[in-house]
Amino acid sequence: MTTTLESAKAENNSSPLRRDVKFLGQLLGNVLVQQGGQDLLDKVEKIREMTKSLRNNDQLSYQELKNEIAALQLPQRQQVIRAFAIYFHLVNIAEQNHRIRRRREYQLLDGNQPGSLESTVSSFKENGVEADLIKNVIDKLSMELIITAHPTESTRRSVLEIHKRIALLLHQLDQTVLTSREREDVQDKLFNEITILWQTDELRDRKPTVMDEVANGLYYFDETLFEVLPQIHEELQETLQKHYSSEEWHVPNILRFGSWIGGDRDGNPNVTPSLTWETLTKHRKLALRKYHQALTSLMKQMSQSTKHVQISEELVAANKKDAAFLQEDEKWKVEHEAYRVKIAIMLKKLKLVGKDSQGYQHANEFREDLLQIKRSFEQHSPAGSRLKNLDQLIRQVELFGFHLATLDIRNHSGEHEAAITEIFRSVSLADDYSALEEEEKVALLTGVLEDPRPLLLPFTEDYSKETRQMIDVFTMIKEAHREFGDRAIEVYLVSMTESVSDLLEVLVLAKEAGVYRLHADGRIESKLNVAPLLETIDDLIAGPAIMEKLFSMDFYRKQLEKHGNVQEIMLGYSDGSKDGGTLTANWKLYKAQQEIHEVAEKYGVRLKFFHGRGGSLGRGGGPLYRSILSQPAETLGDGFKITEQGEVLSSRYSLYDISYRSLEQATSTLLSAAANVSSEAEQNNIRTKEWEKMMDEMSAAALKKYQELVFNDPDFLTYFKQATPLPELGSLNIGSRPMSRKGSERFEDLRAIPWVFAWTQSRQLLPAWYAAGTGLQRFTETEEQLRLLQQMYQEWPFFGSTIDNLQMALMKADLTAAREYTAMVDDQNMAQRIFSEIENEYNRTKDAILLITRQEQLMDHVPNIKESIRLRNPYVDPLSFLQVELISKLRENEQIDEELLREALLTINGIAAGLRNTG
């Protein structure tokens, strides 16, 4: 009965959404008739109706649908593909608009939307949470979101721009004050935009360069993040002041964005030191432009005259001191408008940043001038009066500086080892460093780091090209700190960290460039935090021992002291899942955090875990706030860092309202979680030892099952390559880096993104759920054990999030459509054998989840999302059937048929839009 009521409520809430989808669908139909004729619309409608019948288990209609699709010929076949793909894009836009609509409905009532800042703070007050506890939590709270160029955004920027225009127009239709003429005007514009969308090529004709990816990343700072981040802080401060009015609140900068784009060298030879420098220059250029716009706006607003107000003596003196700084034609002509006189000087100093010593040398100088204006303004304004534009600009300078976003540098541990091997050989420290045992490596590296003398030869041309470039990376970091400030580059991430030496090698390279320095008197200078990236299951297990060894080294502890005694540790979700399956990977990640946290506590070190999650469920994806809740609660207090990748960026940060909602949810969740575990007693109640023991057993069973198929079945890799569009993905031109490390064909070198992308396209979504059922089934066979699993689902956020992600993956997967892909496998006996194994495990996982969640069907507890997936899946089917047919024809030909390839790539784009996931 509850489910029925929830479904009815969901249907009522989604009726405006259905209206939007129907309206956009009608407009698309009109565009199809105009651009392709009535025959095209009739064909699309016929296929659409057949897919609906197919879901009613009508075997006749299933074969008819396949025959109908097989009969399609160019150019109509390509038009049908595009029609379904564009339909999905329009549905996605409608769903985003509905999220904005619901948010505004809450705001019009009382602003108390679940997950909002208002909801969280009012809950604190109602539950008697003391102001001192909240202040203590906020002072330590830190969340960084790192944008990456991982190639999972299959939609072109030009197309995304059209999507945004359609979204803004659709939002206008919700305004009740529109006249009939205005409404018709908006509808005409929508029709025009959908026409433009139909006439725009959705495929890239070349791979993006790294600088293209940098520009794409900066787009989100320009469009939303530069405004949203300070406003989140402002709302939190105002909400705390409202509910705890006897306190004086100033919220520190707890939410920041950083970037990997232009700094991630792992497996991407296109990311050179000079390109990283160009990236930092682009960052600064955007920050300065945004500040120039804000200051110009402030100048228009601050017209106060000294004839009517008394400004501060401090500002008078500053203006007098800087009077000769500007040329006559640059000065503000009305001398008694003192604020405008000051801002004119500030604008000139901004213009000269990075060009002349008369410009601002550091963002703090700019901030101090803004504070000077603020102090003067408060002197002649009513008590409590604030100039919000000025306060927002000050907050922006604190958050973004002149560097805009801190750029992480990342490279593979093997690259550092190769450089160190050559450097050590050149000064006779070791003939072959790479061949040494780990203890010998650590002893040698420690000796170098405890010796202030340099190692490098005076002429770098004596080294190989690869070693010279490695040295240039660290020299560039040194120069970047001087030119752009220390916040421009703070962390160096070491991919595939397997040992202590992997981190010490980076410190040695930093030492040779002067980024890390040991003085003769024992003092250490360090401007670079070295962070391990633990990726594989074995690395996660070894992680606590690696960190214990590091923390026990005196010189390393001194290095940490220079970074606030905080050690950053990155956890890779993608490779762990590819290595051991999603259930095992998630549990090993959870345990690694627990165990490393215990080690750090022993040494008095604070930890910041960096979660390398992808957008897809097979790479740790899911809603941002759920990602936070699923971590060990005790690890959240010292900082939380997470990647935002590919299609996640456009879905979360293209539109202001969606961006704001996503970030306020994340901030509220982190604040609430950190406050709830502020005492040790509360931490101990988050989970029980019995639950952890059960997870150990389920993880072990799932790992065995996963590896039996993925690693031990000799035919599996052949099945994967032939039963998915993996070989065709490289032609999609969605990223600047290769699909595999070293250009290798080995499974171990295949990147996790194409691994997940290919399985998603084939509708199996195997990385997101496979082997979980075998693990869960160990405890679903007796009533007592099942009750424990049900309790874990209700009370343990980690387990609840894991189960919900599993059922989302199962819901999105479609084995009826997936079976069609087995036709592309040469050995049909092998294909049916492996597919049957996948199908059996799917059913096993589904049965276990329904028992644990006490649902009749998957995702009954979230009817809105369930309905969205249920309505989408049938319309993805035609694209899947077309994809199988097109790829089969492609692979029959020795020469690549460019037109067939283009059509196949269009189906890939359409399926990605339909499932709202790529890699």
Side-chain angles (χ1 to χ4, degrees):
M1 185 67 180
T2 304
T3 301
T4 306
L5 288 172
E6 286 178 351
S7 299
K9 184 178 178 183
E11 186 171 336
N12 183 54
N13 287 340
S14 66
S15 55
L17 170 61
R18 293 186 177 200
R19 179 199 67 207
D20 285 350
V21 170
K22 184 177 179 181
F23 173 60
L24 291 174
Q26 288 170 343
L27 290 181
L28 176 60
N30 294 340
V31 169
L32 294 182
V33 171
Q34 187 192 73
Q35 299 292 306
Q38 186 65 41
D39 285 350
L40 173 60
L41 178 61
D42 291 345
K43 182 65 69 175
V44 169
E45 283 298 302
K46 183 177 181 180
I47 292 173
R48 188 176 70 85
E49 288 299 324
M50 291 175 79
T51 59
K52 289 171 68 176
S53 299
L54 173 63
R55 292 301 166 135
N56 295 326
N57 296 318
D58 184 343
Q59 290 301 312
L60 180 64
S61 69
Y62 181 84
Q63 190 55 48
E64 285 177 354
L65 175 61
K66 292 177 70 175
N67 293 341
E68 188 73 29
I69 286 171
L72 288 170
Q73 299 294 321
L74 283 172
Q76 193 177 74
R77 182 172 63 203
Q78 188 175 123
Q79 292 173 323
V80 168
I81 294 169
R82 296 188 68 228
F84 276 97
I86 289 174
Y87 171 75
F88 283 127
H89 286 301
L90 295 176
V91 171
N92 293 343
I93 291 167
E95 288 184 348
Q96 280 197 320
N97 188 60
H98 192 56
R99 284 187 64 195
I100 294 170
R101 180 187 292 124
R102 289 175 61 204
R103 178 171 180 260
R104 292 185 65 82
E105 286 171 357
Y106 275 108
Q107 289 175 325
L108 287 169
L109 292 172
D110 57 4
N112 210 7
Q113 185 175 8
S116 66
L117 293 168
E118 171 66 32
S119 172
T120 298
V121 175
S122 62
S123 174
F124 283 165
K125 186 67 175 178
E126 289 167 11
N127 291 308
V129 179
E130 298 290 337
D132 286 345
L133 186 148
I134 298 172
K135 285 185 176 181
N136 183 53
V137 167
I138 287 177
D139 284 343
K140 293 191 295 183
L141 209 61
S142 165
M143 179 162 61
E144 296 172 67
L145 296 106
I146 309 300
I147 64 172
T148 78
H150 284 66
T152 61
E153 174 57 87
S154 60
T155 310
R156 287 181 63 208
R157 166 61 51 207
S158 298
V159 173
L160 291 173
E161 289 279 11
I162 300 170
H163 290 178
K164 183 171 183 178
R165 295 198 296 270
I166 292 172
L168 294 174
L169 288 167
L170 193 61
H171 180 60
Q172 285 183 39
L173 288 180
D174 278 340
Q175 296 179 19
T176 56
V177 294
L178 287 178
T179 65
S180 58
R181 183 175 177 180
E182 288 170 335
R183 187 168 294 278
E184 286 174 11
D185 182 53
V186 173
Q187 290 171 346
D188 287 343
K189 287 178 179 176
L190 272 169
F191 176 77
N192 290 337
E193 290 295 345
I194 294 173
T195 303
I196 292 169
L197 183 60
W198 177 259
Q199 295 172 344
T200 299
D201 193 2
E202 49 270 88
L203 297 179
R204 297 182 177 92
D205 59 5
R206 63 174 178 83
K207 284 185 178 291
T209 66
V210 179
M211 291 314 297
D212 290 335
E213 292 171 336
V214 169
N216 285 340
L218 291 178
Y219 171 86
Y220 299 104
F221 286 91
D222 198 6
E223 288 294 307
T224 58
L225 298 177
F226 206 78
E227 276 67 46
V228 168
L229 259 66
Q231 288 166 11
I232 292 283
H233 289 86
E234 177 72 15
E235 185 186 343
L236 178 56
Q237 188 164 298
E238 289 180 350
T239 307
L240 286 166
Q241 197 66 60
K242 169 183 162 186
H243 290 282
Y244 293 86
S245 55
S246 61
E247 302 287 331
E248 192 66 35
W249 292 92
H250 178 73
V251 172
N253 300 308
I254 60 176
L255 178 62
R256 296 182 189 273
F257 267 74
S259 178
W260 272 16
I261 311 176
D264 184 8
R265 295 170 52 80
D266 182 17
N268 194 338
N270 303 305
V271 181
T272 61
S274 60
L275 186 138
T276 301
W277 187 270
E278 187 180 354
T279 299
L280 294 169
T281 303
K282 295 269 188 190
H283 280 204
R284 181 169 67 184
K285 185 178 179 181
L286 177 57
L288 293 176
R289 175 165 63 80
K290 300 297 278 190
Y291 293 143
H292 187 278
Q293 291 170 353
L295 266 187
T296 303
S297 176
L298 198 63
M299 177 184 264
K300 291 176 182 176
Q301 187 176 6
M302 299 199 74
S303 58
Q304 294 94 332
S305 168
T306 53
K307 294 179 179 181
H308 303 296
V309 299
Q310 184 173 354
I311 65 168
S312 69
E313 291 297 323
E314 176 188 32
L315 190 65
V316 171
N319 283 355
K320 186 175 181 181
K321 178 185 174 186
D322 290 332
F325 178 62
L326 301 181
Q327 301 295 323
E328 281 303 315
D329 61 339
E330 296 173 321
K331 292 179 180 179
W332 186 257
K333 300 298 186 265
V334 185
E335 292 185 5
H336 57 81
E337 292 179 347
Y339 292 123
R340 288 174 165 175
V341 170
K342 174 70 175 177
I343 292 171
I345 295 166
M346 293 170 71
L347 285 167
K348 179 66 179 290
K349 287 184 177 181
L350 267 184
K351 187 178 179 181
L352 295 177
V353 170
K355 301 174 183 174
D356 191 289
S357 60
Q358 289 187 302
Y360 289 117
Q361 297 302 299
H362 303 285
N364 279 341
E365 295 173 5
F366 179 40
R367 176 177 174 271
E368 185 49 46
D369 275 354
L370 292 169
L371 288 172
Q372 200 176 81
I373 293 174
K374 178 180 171 70
R375 289 191 291 267
S376 178
F377 174 80
E378 288 172 346
Q379 185 175 299
H380 60 71
S381 298
S385 177
R386 295 171 53 212
L387 198 58
K388 284 199 171 185
N389 285 357
L390 177 58
D391 286 348
Q392 175 167 307
L393 181 52
I394 291 168
R395 179 76 76 169
Q396 284 169 328
V397 177
E398 292 171 354
L399 288 167
F400 301 106
F402 288 157
H403 66 292
L404 185 72
T406 297
L407 187 67
D408 287 350
I409 307 295
R410 179 173 79 135
N411 208 345
H412 195 281
S413 58
E415 302 289 321
H416 310 127
E417 183 180 76
I420 289 292
T421 297
E422 185 175 354
I423 291 168
F424 280 11
R425 185 187 300 122
S426 69
V427 291
S428 302
L429 268 178
D431 287 338
D432 188 359
Y433 165 82
S434 63
L436 297 177
E437 295 294 328
E438 173 65 9
E439 283 112 6
E440 294 175 294
K441 287 181 179 178
V442 170
L444 198 54
L445 294 164
T446 301
V448 170
L449 289 166
E450 291 180 339
D451 186 340
R453 293 174 297 178
L455 278 180
L456 290 182
L457 299 175
F459 304 107
T460 57
E461 59 263 30
D462 293 331
Y463 298 114
S464 66
K465 176 187 172 183
E466 292 77 14
T467 297
R468 285 201 308 272
Q469 189 169 88
M470 182 63 70
I471 293 168
D472 289 346
V473 168
F474 287 87
T475 304
M476 178 275 301
I477 294 172
K478 172 75 172 176
E479 288 300 306
H481 287 158
R482 180 188 59 77
E483 176 69 21
F484 303 102
D486 293 347
R487 283 174 60 195
I489 298 173
E490 294 181 334
V491 178
Y492 194 108
L493 290 148
V494 184
S495 295
M496 288 296 171
T497 297
E498 297 174 345
S499 60
V500 170
S501 62
D502 290 333
L503 299 178
L504 298 188
E505 287 161 6
V506 174
L507 272 186
V508 168
L509 292 165
K511 170 179 174 280
E512 294 308 306
V515 182
Y516 169 93
R517 289 186 64 190
L518 173 66
H519 292 274
D521 61 4
R523 286 182 301 111
I524 281 179
E525 279 184 55
S526 176
K527 295 186 176 180
L528 195 65
N529 203 337
V530 182
L533 170 44
L534 306 175
E535 299 179 79
T536 67
I537 298 294
D538 287 344
D539 295 344
L540 290 168
I541 293 170
I546 293 172
M547 301 318 299
E548 172 105 43
K549 176 72 173 173
L550 278 169
F551 294 158
S552 68
M553 296 176 170
D554 288 342
F555 75 88
Y556 192 82
R557 291 294 306 284
K558 289 178 182 176
Q559 139 85 3
L560 283 182
E561 286 171 9
K562 296 300 177 182
H563 300 279
N565 216 26
V566 174
Q567 172 69 57
E568 184 168 312
I569 297 172
M570 185 170 184
L571 304 168
Y573 285 69
S574 304
D575 284 287
S577 180
K578 176 171 160 267
D579 192 34
T582 186
L583 187 68
T584 300
N586 277 288
W587 179 236
K588 295 299 182 186
L589 284 158
Y590 190 94
K591 282 191 74 175
Q593 290 179 76
Q594 282 182 293
E595 292 167 9
I596 294 171
H597 185 267
E598 289 171 8
V599 170
E601 273 198 325
K602 185 166 78 172
Y603 289 92
V605 174
R606 296 161 57 207
L607 293 176
K608 180 192 290 182
F609 282 110
F610 181 5
H611 301 271
R613 289 173 172 260
S616 63
L617 295 168
R619 297 180 51 241
L624 183 54
Y625 74 96
R626 291 297 298 267
S627 300
I628 295 168
L629 280 176
S630 64
Q631 308 310 319
E634 64 269 29
T635 67
L636 296 174
D638 292 329
F640 182 86
K641 192 171 175 180
I642 191 167
T643 52
E644 293 282 64
Q645 305 177 7
E647 76 275 18
V648 170
L649 292 174
S650 58
S651 66
R652 284 183 186 158
Y653 304 117
S654 289
L655 299 173
Y656 174 89
D657 287 280
I658 298 292
S659 177
Y660 198 101
R661 175 60 180 157
S662 179
L663 291 175
E664 83 159 342
Q665 271 187 301
T667 305
S668 297
T669 302
L670 185 59
L671 177 59
S672 181
N676 287 339
V677 295
S678 59
S679 74
E680 193 172 332
E682 289 169 321
Q683 285 182 25
N684 289 338
N685 287 330
I686 299 298
R687 58 188 175 264
T688 71
K689 291 294 181 186
E690 185 177 14
W691 295 355
E692 292 181 355
K693 186 172 180 293
M694 290 168 66
M695 275 305 310
D696 282 335
E697 290 188 38
M698 289 187 287
S699 169
L703 178 62
K704 182 182 177 186
K705 178 69 175 177
Y706 180 86
Q707 294 189 335
E708 279 175 0
L709 177 65
V710 176
F711 290 98
N712 299 336
D713 190 318
D715 296 323
F716 176 76
L717 193 54
T718 301
Y719 175 86
F720 167 55
K721 289 179 177 179
Q722 294 184 3
T724 73
L726 178 72
E728 289 70 32
L729 293 181
S731 302
L732 200 53
N733 293 330
I734 60 175
S736 66
R737 71 180 188 176
M739 286 208 306
S740 68
R741 293 180 172 95
K742 310 171 189 173
S744 163
E745 290 288 319
R746 296 189 324 139
F747 177 76
E748 291 80 2
D749 292 325
L750 177 69
R751 291 189 180 279
I753 290 170
W755 162 253
V756 172
F757 200 160
W759 284 115
T760 303
Q761 285 288 312
S762 68
R763 311 289 294 279
Q764 296 171 73
L765 277 76
L766 182 142
W769 60 266
Y770 187 78
T774 294
L776 295 170
Q777 197 179 52
R778 288 182 66 84
F779 293 98
T780 59
E781 293 175 352
T782 71
E783 281 296 321
E784 184 180 354
Q785 290 176 328
L786 177 59
R787 277 198 300 273
L788 276 174
L789 288 178
Q790 291 169 341
Q791 184 185 2
M792 289 162 64
Y793 175 69
Q794 292 295 328
E795 298 179 15
W796 189 8
F798 161 77
F799 192 70
S801 177
T802 300
I803 295 297
D804 285 345
N805 281 342
L806 284 170
Q807 62 175 320
M808 171 81 84
L810 294 175
M811 189 81 186
K812 284 190 172 186
D814 191 303
L815 296 194
T816 302
R819 186 179 291 278
E820 295 299 308
Y821 285 81
T822 62
M824 300 194 298
V825 180
D826 295 335
D827 184 339
Q828 278 298 294
N829 289 331
M830 176 266 282
Q832 296 310 315
R833 176 179 64 80
I834 291 180
F835 185 80
S836 294
E837 186 59 48
I838 291 170
E839 189 173 38
N840 290 338
E841 184 62 20
Y842 177 95
N843 291 327
R844 191 178 294 119
T845 307
K846 178 181 175 181
D847 291 344
I849 286 174
L850 290 177
L851 286 171
I852 292 166
T853 58
R854 290 182 269 210
Q855 298 176 124
E856 291 182 14
Q857 295 180 333
L858 293 171
M859 300 193 72
D860 277 346
H861 67 305
V862 276
N864 280 333
I865 298 175
K866 176 186 174 182
E867 182 68 1
S868 172
I869 296 172
R870 191 187 69 79
L871 291 174
R872 282 166 180 271
N873 270 0
Y875 299 141
V876 182
D877 290 350
L879 294 174
S880 293
F881 297 152
L882 279 160
Q883 186 176 95
V884 170
E885 181 173 336
L886 292 165
I887 290 176
S888 296
K889 289 181 179 178
L890 261 177
R891 293 178 184 176
E892 287 171 3
N893 300 331
E894 290 186 12
Q895 298 293 321
I896 294 178
D897 184 323
E898 293 295 337
E899 199 58 46
L900 275 178
L901 177 61
R902 174 178 174 74
E903 289 183 272
L905 296 179
L906 286 170
T907 65
I908 291 173
N909 262 0
I911 292 170
L915 299 180
R916 302 208 74 169
N917 274 124
T918 51

